[in-house]
Amino acid sequence: MNGVRQAQTEAQAQAHDTAAVRMWRVAREPFTAATWRRTAYAVLAPPVSLACVPLSLLGAPTARWQRGLVHRFLDKDIPGTARRGGLLHALLATPLNLLTALITVYGWAIVPMNLGWPLRAGSDHSGAWGGPTFAGAWAFHAVLGGIGFLLLMPWVVRGLTAVQVRVAGSLLS
């Protein structure tokens, strides 16, 4: 009986350690270089794809540039020839790139906007979420809007850039 109880205790401790590791990963993800490289890719991809449309018509190696952008910021290698798929990718990926950039910029902008809520709030805070007190409204905005989006946005950007990598892989290889 003692051996069974000890095994259960060890399993519970291991599950607790796993949960702690997961929580630590979520908490540190906004501060990793990979998160900010993905964010930079999400912001840079629309102007690059828009510029690649006319440049590929002029014969520029835009497919290589787009593969290079994916490799540099997302650390994914897309095999392919130097010129194949540049125009097609630029045309078909531009709407996705624009949507990704919009979601990324807006989502990250929510973080400082809500952490600094008192700087943008009007003089009447009684109708604000978390009100009727000033401290309650600020706490609500800081915790849910500020810290909540700080922890959420790395995972949103990771998912959006994963879709972009799949599109680039299918169109540029």
Side-chain angles (χ1 to χ4, degrees):
M1 222 29 178
N2 226 359
V4 172
R5 194 170 287 163
Q6 183 180 3
Q8 288 175 341
T9 305
E10 288 175 6
Q12 288 173 345
Q14 186 179 17
H16 179 70
D17 289 344
T18 304
V21 167
R22 285 184 192 141
M23 287 176 45
W24 174 249
R25 183 174 179 207
V26 168
R28 76 176 173 86
E29 191 67 24
F31 309 104
T32 63
T35 294
W36 292 105
R37 281 194 310 271
R38 285 187 207 101
T39 300
Y41 178 83
V43 172
L44 291 174
V48 169
S49 63
L50 286 171
C52 284
V53 172
L55 292 173
S56 64
L57 292 172
L58 295 173
T62 57
R64 187 178 70 207
W65 298 343
Q66 293 170 22
R67 282 193 296 272
L69 190 69
V70 170
H71 175 71
R72 170 69 179 100
F73 289 99
L74 302 179
D75 200 29
K76 303 289 182 193
D77 288 324
I78 300 173
T81 60
R83 296 191 184 275
R84 183 165 178 249
L87 178 62
L88 185 63
H89 179 263
L91 289 172
L92 296 179
T94 297
L96 174 64
N97 292 343
L98 289 171
L99 181 65
T100 298
L102 178 71
I103 292 170
T104 300
V105 169
Y106 182 73
W108 281 115
I110 287 175
V111 175
M113 185 170 47
N114 282 302
L115 288 175
W117 179 81
L119 299 174
R120 69 176 175 92
S123 59
D124 184 24
H125 53 271
S126 61
W129 289 5
T133 66
F134 178 77
W138 189 3
F140 181 87
H141 283 83
V143 170
L144 288 180
I147 296 171
F149 269 80
L150 178 70
L151 297 176
L152 176 68
M153 282 311 297
W155 304 101
V156 170
V157 173
R158 180 186 293 240
L160 291 169
T161 55
V163 172
Q164 287 177 304
V165 166
R166 291 192 65 144
V167 169
S170 65
L171 295 175
L172 292 172
S173 60

Short mmCIF file of all heavy atoms in Angstrom, two decimals, residues 121-170:
data_model
loop_
_atom_site.label_atom_id
_atom_site.label_comp_id
_atom_site.label_asym_id
_atom_site.label_seq_id
_atom_site.Cartn_x
_atom_site.Cartn_y
_atom_site.Cartn_z
N ALA A 121 -8.14 57.78 -20.26
CA ALA A 121 -9.51 57.82 -19.74
C ALA A 121 -9.98 59.26 -19.58
O ALA A 121 -9.21 60.16 -19.30
CB ALA A 121 -9.57 57.10 -18.39
N GLY A 122 -11.26 59.43 -19.75
CA GLY A 122 -11.83 60.75 -19.52
C GLY A 122 -11.96 61.03 -18.03
O GLY A 122 -11.52 60.25 -17.18
N SER A 123 -12.59 62.12 -17.71
CA SER A 123 -12.71 62.49 -16.30
C SER A 123 -13.77 61.66 -15.58
O SER A 123 -13.76 61.57 -14.36
CB SER A 123 -13.04 63.97 -16.18
OG SER A 123 -14.26 64.24 -16.86
N ASP A 124 -14.69 61.04 -16.33
CA ASP A 124 -15.75 60.25 -15.70
C ASP A 124 -15.44 58.77 -15.86
O ASP A 124 -15.58 58.21 -16.94
CB ASP A 124 -17.10 60.57 -16.33
CG ASP A 124 -18.24 59.84 -15.64
OD1 ASP A 124 -18.08 59.46 -14.47
OD2 ASP A 124 -19.29 59.64 -16.30
N HIS A 125 -14.99 58.12 -14.81
CA HIS A 125 -14.64 56.71 -14.84
C HIS A 125 -15.74 55.82 -14.28
O HIS A 125 -15.59 54.62 -14.21
CB HIS A 125 -13.33 56.47 -14.08
CG HIS A 125 -13.37 57.03 -12.69
ND1 HIS A 125 -12.98 58.32 -12.45
CD2 HIS A 125 -13.78 56.51 -11.52
CE1 HIS A 125 -13.13 58.56 -11.16
NE2 HIS A 125 -13.60 57.49 -10.58
N SER A 126 -16.87 56.42 -13.88
CA SER A 126 -17.93 55.63 -13.25
C SER A 126 -18.58 54.67 -14.24
O SER A 126 -19.05 53.61 -13.84
CB SER A 126 -18.99 56.55 -12.65
OG SER A 126 -19.57 57.35 -13.68
N GLY A 127 -18.59 54.98 -15.52
CA GLY A 127 -19.19 54.09 -16.51
C GLY A 127 -18.21 53.16 -17.17
O GLY A 127 -18.58 52.35 -18.01
N ALA A 128 -16.93 53.23 -16.79
CA ALA A 128 -15.91 52.37 -17.40
C ALA A 128 -16.01 50.96 -16.84
O ALA A 128 -16.50 50.75 -15.75
CB ALA A 128 -14.53 52.95 -17.13
N TRP A 129 -15.52 50.01 -17.60
CA TRP A 129 -15.47 48.64 -17.11
C TRP A 129 -14.60 48.59 -15.88
O TRP A 129 -13.51 49.14 -15.85
CB TRP A 129 -14.90 47.72 -18.17
CG TRP A 129 -15.79 47.48 -19.34
CD1 TRP A 129 -17.00 48.05 -19.58
CD2 TRP A 129 -15.54 46.59 -20.40
NE1 TRP A 129 -17.52 47.59 -20.74
CE2 TRP A 129 -16.63 46.68 -21.28
CE3 TRP A 129 -14.50 45.75 -20.74
CZ2 TRP A 129 -16.72 45.94 -22.44
CZ3 TRP A 129 -14.59 45.02 -21.89
CH2 TRP A 129 -15.69 45.11 -22.73
N GLY A 130 -15.07 47.95 -14.85
CA GLY A 130 -14.34 47.87 -13.60
C GLY A 130 -14.69 48.99 -12.64
O GLY A 130 -14.25 48.99 -11.50
N GLY A 131 -15.46 49.97 -13.13
CA GLY A 131 -15.86 51.11 -12.30
C GLY A 131 -16.84 50.66 -11.24
O GLY A 131 -17.14 49.49 -11.10
N PRO A 132 -17.32 51.50 -10.43
CA PRO A 132 -17.38 52.94 -10.52
C PRO A 132 -16.17 53.66 -9.94
O PRO A 132 -16.06 54.87 -10.08
CB PRO A 132 -18.64 53.29 -9.73
CG PRO A 132 -18.72 52.24 -8.69
CD PRO A 132 -18.15 51.01 -9.32
N THR A 133 -15.23 52.93 -9.35
CA THR A 133 -14.07 53.63 -8.80
C THR A 133 -12.95 53.68 -9.82
O THR A 133 -12.85 52.84 -10.72
CB THR A 133 -13.54 52.91 -7.53
OG1 THR A 133 -13.04 51.63 -7.90
CG2 THR A 133 -14.63 52.75 -6.48
N PHE A 134 -12.10 54.68 -9.68
CA PHE A 134 -10.96 54.84 -10.58
C PHE A 134 -10.02 53.64 -10.47
O PHE A 134 -9.55 53.11 -11.48
CB PHE A 134 -10.24 56.14 -10.24
CG PHE A 134 -9.02 56.38 -11.08
CD1 PHE A 134 -9.15 56.84 -12.38
CD2 PHE A 134 -7.76 56.15 -10.57
CE1 PHE A 134 -8.02 57.05 -13.16
CE2 PHE A 134 -6.64 56.37 -11.34
CZ PHE A 134 -6.77 56.83 -12.64
N ALA A 135 -9.74 53.20 -9.26
CA ALA A 135 -8.81 52.09 -9.04
C ALA A 135 -9.37 50.80 -9.64
O ALA A 135 -8.63 50.01 -10.23
CB ALA A 135 -8.54 51.91 -7.55
N GLY A 136 -10.67 50.58 -9.49
CA GLY A 136 -11.28 49.38 -10.06
C GLY A 136 -11.22 49.38 -11.58
O GLY A 136 -10.94 48.35 -12.20
N ALA A 137 -11.49 50.51 -12.19
CA ALA A 137 -11.44 50.61 -13.65
C ALA A 137 -10.01 50.40 -14.15
O ALA A 137 -9.78 49.69 -15.14
CB ALA A 137 -11.98 51.96 -14.10
N TRP A 138 -9.05 51.00 -13.48
CA TRP A 138 -7.66 50.84 -13.90
C TRP A 138 -7.21 49.38 -13.73
O TRP A 138 -6.57 48.81 -14.60
CB TRP A 138 -6.77 51.78 -13.11
CG TRP A 138 -5.35 51.85 -13.61
CD1 TRP A 138 -4.82 51.21 -14.70
CD2 TRP A 138 -4.29 52.59 -13.05
NE1 TRP A 138 -3.50 51.52 -14.84
CE2 TRP A 138 -3.14 52.38 -13.84
CE3 TRP A 138 -4.19 53.44 -11.95
CZ2 TRP A 138 -1.92 52.96 -13.57
CZ3 TRP A 138 -2.97 54.04 -11.70
CH2 TRP A 138 -1.85 53.80 -12.49
N ALA A 139 -7.55 48.78 -12.61
CA ALA A 139 -7.17 47.40 -12.35
C ALA A 139 -7.79 46.47 -13.39
O ALA A 139 -7.12 45.57 -13.92
CB ALA A 139 -7.59 46.98 -10.95
N PHE A 140 -9.05 46.69 -13.71
CA PHE A 140 -9.71 45.86 -14.71
C PHE A 140 -9.01 45.97 -16.06
O PHE A 140 -8.70 44.97 -16.70
CB PHE A 140 -11.19 46.27 -14.84
CG PHE A 140 -11.94 45.45 -15.84
CD1 PHE A 140 -12.52 44.26 -15.45
CD2 PHE A 140 -12.05 45.85 -17.16
CE1 PHE A 140 -13.21 43.48 -16.37
CE2 PHE A 140 -12.74 45.10 -18.08
CZ PHE A 140 -13.32 43.90 -17.68
N HIS A 141 -8.75 47.19 -16.49
CA HIS A 141 -8.11 47.39 -17.79
C HIS A 141 -6.67 46.85 -17.78
O HIS A 141 -6.23 46.27 -18.78
CB HIS A 141 -8.11 48.87 -18.17
CG HIS A 141 -9.44 49.34 -18.65
ND1 HIS A 141 -10.45 49.71 -17.80
CD2 HIS A 141 -9.93 49.48 -19.90
CE1 HIS A 141 -11.51 50.06 -18.50
NE2 HIS A 141 -11.22 49.93 -19.79
N ALA A 142 -5.94 47.07 -16.70
CA ALA A 142 -4.55 46.62 -16.64
C ALA A 142 -4.45 45.10 -16.63
O ALA A 142 -3.63 44.52 -17.34
CB ALA A 142 -3.86 47.20 -15.41
N VAL A 143 -5.31 44.44 -15.85
CA VAL A 143 -5.22 42.98 -15.73
C VAL A 143 -5.75 42.29 -16.99
O VAL A 143 -5.06 41.48 -17.60
CB VAL A 143 -5.95 42.48 -14.47
CG1 VAL A 143 -6.07 40.97 -14.47
CG2 VAL A 143 -5.21 42.96 -13.22
N LEU A 144 -6.98 42.61 -17.39
CA LEU A 144 -7.55 41.91 -18.54
C LEU A 144 -7.01 42.42 -19.87
O LEU A 144 -6.63 41.63 -20.73
CB LEU A 144 -9.08 42.02 -18.51
CG LEU A 144 -9.75 41.18 -17.45
CD1 LEU A 144 -11.26 41.35 -17.50
CD2 LEU A 144 -9.40 39.73 -17.61
N GLY A 145 -7.00 43.72 -20.05
CA GLY A 145 -6.56 44.26 -21.33
C GLY A 145 -5.06 44.33 -21.48
O GLY A 145 -4.52 44.05 -22.55
N GLY A 146 -4.37 44.69 -20.42
CA GLY A 146 -2.92 44.85 -20.50
C GLY A 146 -2.18 43.53 -20.36
O GLY A 146 -1.58 43.03 -21.31
N ILE A 147 -2.25 42.95 -19.19
CA ILE A 147 -1.52 41.71 -18.93
C ILE A 147 -2.14 40.54 -19.70
O ILE A 147 -1.42 39.69 -20.23
CB ILE A 147 -1.48 41.42 -17.42
CG1 ILE A 147 -0.68 42.54 -16.73
CG2 ILE A 147 -0.86 40.07 -17.13
CD1 ILE A 147 -0.74 42.51 -15.23
N GLY A 148 -3.45 40.54 -19.81
CA GLY A 148 -4.12 39.47 -20.56
C GLY A 148 -3.66 39.41 -22.01
O GLY A 148 -3.30 38.35 -22.53
N PHE A 149 -3.65 40.56 -22.68
CA PHE A 149 -3.20 40.58 -24.07
C PHE A 149 -1.69 40.41 -24.19
O PHE A 149 -1.21 39.88 -25.19
CB PHE A 149 -3.67 41.87 -24.77
CG PHE A 149 -4.99 41.70 -25.43
CD1 PHE A 149 -6.17 41.77 -24.71
CD2 PHE A 149 -5.07 41.45 -26.79
CE1 PHE A 149 -7.39 41.60 -25.31
CE2 PHE A 149 -6.30 41.28 -27.41
CZ PHE A 149 -7.47 41.35 -26.67
N LEU A 150 -0.94 40.82 -23.19
CA LEU A 150 0.50 40.59 -23.19
C LEU A 150 0.79 39.09 -23.22
O LEU A 150 1.69 38.63 -23.93
CB LEU A 150 1.15 41.22 -21.96
CG LEU A 150 2.66 41.02 -21.81
CD1 LEU A 150 3.41 41.82 -22.87
CD2 LEU A 150 3.11 41.41 -20.43
N LEU A 151 0.02 38.32 -22.49
CA LEU A 151 0.22 36.87 -22.45
C LEU A 151 -0.43 36.17 -23.64
O LEU A 151 0.01 35.08 -24.04
CB LEU A 151 -0.33 36.31 -21.14
CG LEU A 151 0.35 36.80 -19.87
CD1 LEU A 151 -0.36 36.25 -18.64
CD2 LEU A 151 1.82 36.45 -19.86
N LEU A 152 -1.45 36.76 -24.23
CA LEU A 152 -2.17 36.14 -25.34
C LEU A 152 -1.52 36.38 -26.69
O LEU A 152 -1.47 35.48 -27.54
CB LEU A 152 -3.62 36.67 -25.36
CG LEU A 152 -4.50 36.21 -26.51
CD1 LEU A 152 -4.79 34.72 -26.39
CD2 LEU A 152 -5.78 37.02 -26.55
N MET A 153 -1.01 37.56 -26.93
CA MET A 153 -0.55 37.94 -28.27
C MET A 153 0.60 37.08 -28.82
O MET A 153 0.62 36.81 -30.02
CB MET A 153 -0.18 39.42 -28.32
CG MET A 153 -1.38 40.33 -28.43
SD MET A 153 -2.55 39.85 -29.72
CE MET A 153 -1.55 40.04 -31.18
N PRO A 154 1.56 36.63 -28.03
CA PRO A 154 2.57 35.76 -28.62
C PRO A 154 1.99 34.50 -29.26
O PRO A 154 2.45 34.05 -30.30
CB PRO A 154 3.47 35.39 -27.44
CG PRO A 154 3.30 36.49 -26.48
CD PRO A 154 1.88 36.96 -26.64
N TRP A 155 0.95 33.96 -28.66
CA TRP A 155 0.34 32.73 -29.18
C TRP A 155 -0.51 33.03 -30.41
O TRP A 155 -0.57 32.23 -31.34
CB TRP A 155 -0.46 32.05 -28.08
CG TRP A 155 0.42 31.80 -26.89
CD1 TRP A 155 0.48 32.53 -25.73
CD2 TRP A 155 1.44 30.81 -26.77
NE1 TRP A 155 1.45 32.04 -24.91
CE2 TRP A 155 2.06 30.97 -25.51
CE3 TRP A 155 1.89 29.79 -27.59
CZ2 TRP A 155 3.09 30.17 -25.07
CZ3 TRP A 155 2.93 28.98 -27.15
CH2 TRP A 155 3.51 29.17 -25.90
N VAL A 156 -1.15 34.18 -30.43
CA VAL A 156 -1.92 34.59 -31.61
C VAL A 156 -0.98 34.81 -32.79
O VAL A 156 -1.22 34.32 -33.90
CB VAL A 156 -2.75 35.87 -31.31
CG1 VAL A 156 -3.35 36.44 -32.57
CG2 VAL A 156 -3.83 35.58 -30.28
N VAL A 157 0.11 35.53 -32.55
CA VAL A 157 1.09 35.79 -33.61
C VAL A 157 1.73 34.48 -34.07
O VAL A 157 1.97 34.28 -35.27
CB VAL A 157 2.14 36.82 -33.15
CG1 VAL A 157 3.25 36.97 -34.16
CG2 VAL A 157 1.49 38.15 -32.88
N ARG A 158 2.00 33.58 -33.16
CA ARG A 158 2.56 32.27 -33.52
C ARG A 158 1.62 31.52 -34.45
O ARG A 158 2.05 30.95 -35.47
CB ARG A 158 2.82 31.44 -32.27
CG ARG A 158 3.40 30.07 -32.56
CD ARG A 158 3.49 29.27 -31.29
NE ARG A 158 4.47 29.86 -30.40
CZ ARG A 158 5.54 29.23 -29.96
NH1 ARG A 158 5.78 27.99 -30.31
NH2 ARG A 158 6.39 29.82 -29.15
N GLY A 159 0.34 31.53 -34.15
CA GLY A 159 -0.62 30.84 -35.00
C GLY A 159 -0.76 31.50 -36.37
O GLY A 159 -0.81 30.81 -37.40
N LEU A 160 -0.81 32.82 -36.39
CA LEU A 160 -0.95 33.53 -37.67
C LEU A 160 0.28 33.34 -38.55
O LEU A 160 0.16 33.13 -39.76
CB LEU A 160 -1.19 35.02 -37.41
CG LEU A 160 -2.55 35.38 -36.80
CD1 LEU A 160 -2.57 36.83 -36.37
CD2 LEU A 160 -3.68 35.10 -37.78
N THR A 161 1.46 33.39 -37.97
CA THR A 161 2.66 33.20 -38.78
C THR A 161 2.83 31.75 -39.21
O THR A 161 3.44 31.48 -40.25
CB THR A 161 3.92 33.70 -38.05
OG1 THR A 161 4.02 33.07 -36.77
CG2 THR A 161 3.90 35.21 -37.91
N ALA A 162 2.29 30.82 -38.44
CA ALA A 162 2.32 29.41 -38.87
C ALA A 162 1.50 29.24 -40.15
O ALA A 162 1.89 28.49 -41.05
CB ALA A 162 1.80 28.50 -37.76
N VAL A 163 0.37 29.93 -40.22
CA VAL A 163 -0.44 29.88 -41.45
C VAL A 163 0.33 30.52 -42.60
O VAL A 163 0.34 30.00 -43.72
CB VAL A 163 -1.80 30.59 -41.23
CG1 VAL A 163 -2.56 30.72 -42.54
CG2 VAL A 163 -2.63 29.84 -40.20
N GLN A 164 1.01 31.62 -42.34
CA GLN A 164 1.79 32.27 -43.38
C GLN A 164 2.92 31.37 -43.88
O GLN A 164 3.21 31.35 -45.08
CB GLN A 164 2.37 33.59 -42.86
CG GLN A 164 1.33 34.67 -42.72
CD GLN A 164 1.92 35.94 -42.16
OE1 GLN A 164 2.50 35.93 -41.09
NE2 GLN A 164 1.75 37.03 -42.88
N VAL A 165 3.55 30.62 -42.99
CA VAL A 165 4.61 29.70 -43.40
C VAL A 165 4.04 28.61 -44.29
O VAL A 165 4.65 28.23 -45.30
CB VAL A 165 5.33 29.10 -42.16
CG1 VAL A 165 6.19 27.90 -42.54
CG2 VAL A 165 6.16 30.14 -41.48
N ARG A 166 2.88 28.09 -43.96
CA ARG A 166 2.26 27.05 -44.79
C ARG A 166 1.93 27.57 -46.17
O ARG A 166 2.14 26.89 -47.17
CB ARG A 166 1.02 26.50 -44.11
CG ARG A 166 1.38 25.69 -42.87
CD ARG A 166 0.22 24.93 -42.40
NE ARG A 166 -0.13 23.95 -43.41
CZ ARG A 166 -0.58 22.74 -43.15
NH1 ARG A 166 -0.72 22.39 -41.90
NH2 ARG A 166 -0.90 21.92 -44.09
N VAL A 167 1.39 28.81 -46.23
CA VAL A 167 1.08 29.41 -47.53
C VAL A 167 2.36 29.62 -48.33
O VAL A 167 2.43 29.29 -49.52
CB VAL A 167 0.30 30.72 -47.35
CG1 VAL A 167 0.20 31.49 -48.64
CG2 VAL A 167 -1.09 30.44 -46.79
N ALA A 168 3.38 30.16 -47.68
CA ALA A 168 4.65 30.39 -48.38
C ALA A 168 5.27 29.07 -48.83
O ALA A 168 5.80 28.98 -49.94
CB ALA A 168 5.62 31.15 -47.46
N GLY A 169 5.19 28.06 -48.00
CA GLY A 169 5.74 26.76 -48.37
C GLY A 169 5.05 26.14 -49.57
O GLY A 169 5.69 25.54 -50.42
N SER A 170 3.75 26.33 -49.65
CA SER A 170 3.02 25.74 -50.78
C SER A 170 3.17 26.56 -52.07
O SER A 170 3.15 26.01 -53.16
CB SER A 170 1.54 25.57 -50.44
OG SER A 170 0.94 26.82 -50.25
#
